Amino acid sequence: MRIVVIGGSGHIGTFLVPRLVRAGHEVTSISRGTRAAYADAPEWQQVRQIIADREQEDDEGTFGDRLARLGPDVVVDLICFTLEAATALVGRLRGQVEHLLHCGSIWRHGPSTKLPISETTGTSPVGEYGIHKDRIARMLKEETASGGLMTTSLHPGHIVGPGWHPVGPLGNFDPAVWTTLSAGKPLRIPGIGIELMHHVHADDVAQAFERAIEHRDTAAGEDFNIVAPSALNVRGYAHLAAGWFGQTASLEPVTWEQYRRTTTPEHAEASWEHLYRSHCVTIEKARTLIGYAPRYEPEAAVLESVRWLIEHEELQVAHPLTV
């Protein structure tokens, strides 16, 4: 099949595009810049790469026309963030392509009240990003149910992999957290450390998109949570991470007010956004309908990312990894 991947050089596309080439598809990748994928693969030599500014062309109303001219059978949209953009794309591709797949987020669910969260049991989303992702998923579901374009939405957790910083044990991207844990020094944590984060390796997300394309009949009109088999809480994550450096985590619970006084507003806000949601979602629907089988537990996915950052001198730590 002819498949167009929008955002093909990003986190998910880095692994998805080579997967699709290996499966025998003719793949076109659309990206905004000329930056290479996070991990090189020989399959990229067989990929047609197009540079386009999705946001600008959406504003001009020309992006859907660009896609239609490529004549794809399948479109994978990894970088759609507003209901308006998603609706415009569906309208232009209706009757033109066989299958549209959208990348959502588990932030379509609000703060957890009952765990694990299925595709239908989450609370209402909070924040502009989660609200838009939820609205897009609902629109796509209605589109297919009404006999329109065949669609599927997949909703990853916190994506990790080689080449970028993972969401860390405090629910933010502060590199100092890794320095502290690798040194065995006390780490201040907001609350009591039982708040949850649900990571997923980028290649497992790519696997889910590939499976949804392969199992189009059962994926049609559906939405899927795509995460690792288990989730980490703050203190468990911190203890695991410290152990990678031969250390024991020393955790100091503090109030959120105290925590905010000891870090930057940016890191404090990221921690709050991740931890007060405290997500743990189930992947049973994806396992059953499309055969999703994640290879990575969350700690293995994060460790791979941390190892890559250390080896490429993008993360400073006090002691070397012992694993």
Side-chain angles (χ1 to χ4, degrees), residues 199-214:
H199 294 76
V200 61
H201 195 286
D203 187 51
D204 281 335
V205 182
Q207 177 210 138
F209 273 96
E210 184 181 11
R211 296 285 172 84
I213 292 169
E214 293 172 351

Side-chain angles (χ1 to χ4, degrees), residues 140-269:
L140 294 175
K141 207 172 185 68
E142 292 173 3
E143 168 71 17
T144 303
S146 65
L149 180 64
M150 185 178 292
T151 69
T152 303
S153 65
L154 291 85
H155 299 268
H158 312 314
I159 301 173
V160 293
W164 63 95
H165 286 261
V167 173
L170 296 184
N172 62 28
F173 299 95
D174 184 1
V177 172
W178 298 102
T179 305
T180 299
L181 288 171
S182 66
K185 294 182 177 179
L187 179 69
R188 289 190 167 191
I189 61 171
I192 59 175
I194 61 171
E195 296 82 3
L196 292 158
M197 291 161 278
H198 213 151
H199 294 76
V200 61
H201 195 286
D203 187 51
D204 281 335
V205 182
Q207 177 210 138
F209 273 96
E210 184 181 11
R211 296 285 172 84
I213 292 169
E214 293 172 351
H215 300 281
R216 183 171 58 194
D217 291 344
T218 53
E222 299 293 348
D223 50 353
F224 298 101
N225 294 328
I226 303 298
V227 290
S230 61
L232 296 171
N233 66 21
V234 170
R235 63 191 182 201
Y237 189 175
H239 281 293
L240 283 167
W244 298 338
F245 302 94
Q247 304 296 320
T248 299
S250 175
L251 307 181
E252 294 184 358
V254 296
T255 67
W256 275 97
E257 290 73 17
Q258 291 172 317
Y259 176 68
R260 287 190 171 94
R261 289 198 296 268
T262 60
T263 189
T264 67
E266 175 187 4
H267 294 322
E269 182 63 19

Side-chain angles (χ1 to χ4, degrees), residues 2 5 14 67 75 80 89 120 132 148 209 213 226 229 245 248 275-276:
R2 294 187 303 275
V5 180
T14 288
L67 284 179
V75 172
C80 183
L89 187 62
T120 60
H132 272 288
F209 273 96
I213 292 169
I226 303 298
F245 302 94
T248 299
L275 301 185
Y276 95 111

